[in-house]
Amino acid sequence: MSALIDGIKGNRFAVLGRAGMDLFADPIGTKSEDADTFRADLGGSSANICTGLAKLGSQASLITSVSDDAVGRFCMNKLEHYGVDTSFIRVVGGEYRMSLAVYESRIDDFQNVIYRNGAVDFQVTEEDMDKVDYSSFSAIISAGTVFAAEPSRSATFRAFENARNAALPIIFDIDYRPYSWPSPEVAADVLSRAGEASDLIVGNDEEFGFMAGGVDKGFAKATELAEKPGRIVIYKMGEKGAVTLADGQEIHTGIYPVDAVKPNGAGDSFMAGLLASIATGHSLEDAVMRGSACASIVVSQPGCAPAMPTTSQLDAFLAAHPGPTR
């Protein structure tokens, strides 16, 4: 486990996966179909993780491709605004397009409409991954969506191989999105391969259950993955908290209850808070709790990238909050 923790403590992350545009109905509580106004900001799971890391003082580079159009440039501008390194992003012409998510700031009857037709982020190639200077990073992070289509799937496995050759730990957020995949069977096979190749695996009970062939088998799957020496597995259970499996231990942690205005963005913020906290010297259990606090902060505000907390905002939240559930 020390190699994994040391890599995270290096605090220089290469993040594989998509950026996109989020449009969210304004004001809070408005349904998308009733909205007169939408706010626009950066979205996409990997871009959100990068933003969360950068706001918490870590170095984060996004490795992806973006469209050669106004929305692609919007996303690049936002990434740079949030302090994310964009030097490994390739601009792709033609009819490929950025992801677009249209959602609302409400919990009841929450709707999130995602457009992934001709998604440009799936156009990342093995050649793109070979151009990355892996020695300039201390760990690599991937969200599961990158494995859903070619050439991105093969490119990401190439990046894993390159990272392994450079002695970088691999951090994997399962992030299963059924609409991106050709079939559940293909997804289960490919995501399981990615999990086997990773040193830190984060997912929720449904995602581990999906990999295992049934939600009731999810925890057993997480436990099995955690048996590899040096690997950490974090099994998230929503309002029930999380179980961190490391070195034969089970660390049970709760959540920080808040008045949520939306459900999305929590997982990306959790990952950023977890890694940035390990990087700054917090224990694994404390880092999980700080990641949980980041998730609570994000669901209590509109938007994803703009809601990611800074270190001072995270510390203020923890100081003011009565504490986590048991």
Side-chain angles (χ1 to χ4, degrees):
M1 198 164 82
S2 61
L4 168 59
I5 297 296
D6 288 349
I8 296 170
K9 283 186 173 178
N11 212 15
R12 301 187 313 279
F13 300 100
V15 185
L16 314 176
R18 74 184 191 279
M21 178 188 267
D22 280 5
L23 293 178
F24 42 103
D26 194 49
I28 289 171
T30 307
K31 290 173 72 69
S32 295
E33 57 262 42
D34 299 329
D36 292 317
T37 305
F38 285 86
R39 289 175 57 193
D41 214 299
L42 181 68
S45 47
S46 298
N48 289 337
I49 292 170
C50 278
T51 298
L53 285 166
K55 284 189 172 184
L56 292 167
S58 302
Q59 284 179 254
S61 299
L62 186 61
I63 300 171
T64 191
S65 47
V66 300
S67 53
D68 187 13
D69 56 27
V71 180
R73 289 187 286 277
F74 173 91
C75 293
M76 289 287 277
N77 288 343
K78 285 290 184 182
L79 286 162
E80 287 162 7
H81 165 75
Y82 288 122
V84 176
D85 170 46
T86 59
S87 58
F88 296 104
I89 297 177
R90 182 165 62 92
V91 178
V92 177
E95 293 304 307
Y96 298 111
R97 293 289 178 260
M98 304 297 294
S99 287
L100 174 66
V102 181
Y103 58 91
E104 44 212 18
S105 302
R106 54 185 291 134
I107 293 294
D108 295 335
D109 190 27
F110 172 78
Q111 301 173 106
N112 188 7
V113 182
I114 298 185
Y115 296 85
R116 295 278 289 148
N117 303 12
V120 68
D121 51 279
F122 285 143
Q123 298 310 307
V124 175
T125 64
E126 293 184 8
E127 187 183 358
D128 291 331
M129 295 306 190
D130 288 344
K131 288 177 180 172
V132 174
D133 176 12
Y134 292 84
S135 67
S136 63
F137 299 107
S138 64
I140 191 168
I141 305 167
S142 180
T145 315
V146 294
F147 293 105
E150 294 289 8
S152 174
R153 180 186 303 160
S154 295
T156 306
F157 279 119
R158 172 68 73 89
F160 277 24
E161 196 181 311
N162 293 346
R164 186 69 65 218
N165 291 338
L168 299 186
I170 296 167
I171 297 158
F172 177 48
D173 187 339
I174 301 171
D175 191 36
Y176 174 54
R177 312 287 180 107
Y179 55 78
S180 289
W181 289 84
S183 74
E185 293 74 22
V186 170
D189 173 60
V190 174
L191 293 174
S192 293
R193 278 172 55 203
E196 291 292 347
S198 302
D199 302 292
L200 168 59
I201 305 167
V202 179
N204 62 33
D205 42 9
E206 290 182 1
E207 289 167 334
F208 281 108
F210 168 76
M211 287 166 73
V215 172
D216 56 325
K217 302 173 189 168
F219 189 70
K221 177 71 174 180
T223 305
E224 176 196 324
L225 284 164
E227 285 170 1
K228 181 183 175 185
R231 181 184 280 157
I232 298 172
V233 177
I234 300 178
Y235 181 86
K236 298 186 294 183
M237 302 174 291
E239 292 180 357
K240 296 178 186 171
V243 183
T244 301
L245 303 162
D247 283 348
Q249 288 182 290
E250 281 187 21
I251 304 168
H252 292 255
T253 48
I255 65 162
Y256 290 89
V258 290
D259 291 327
V261 302
K262 67 177 194 310
N264 54 330
D268 304 331
S269 190
F270 174 87
M271 178 67 89
L274 169 77
L275 298 177
S277 297
I278 293 172
T280 49
H282 291 273
S283 70
L284 180 57
E285 182 171 353
D286 283 349
V288 171
M289 292 311 308
R290 288 172 70 84
S292 296
C294 288
S296 293
I297 290 168
V298 166
V299 298
S300 69
Q301 299 173 37
C304 289
M308 299 279 165
T310 61
T311 305
S312 59
Q313 287 168 337
L314 172 57
D315 290 341
F317 174 88
L318 289 166
H321 198 282
T325 54
R326 289 188 171 277

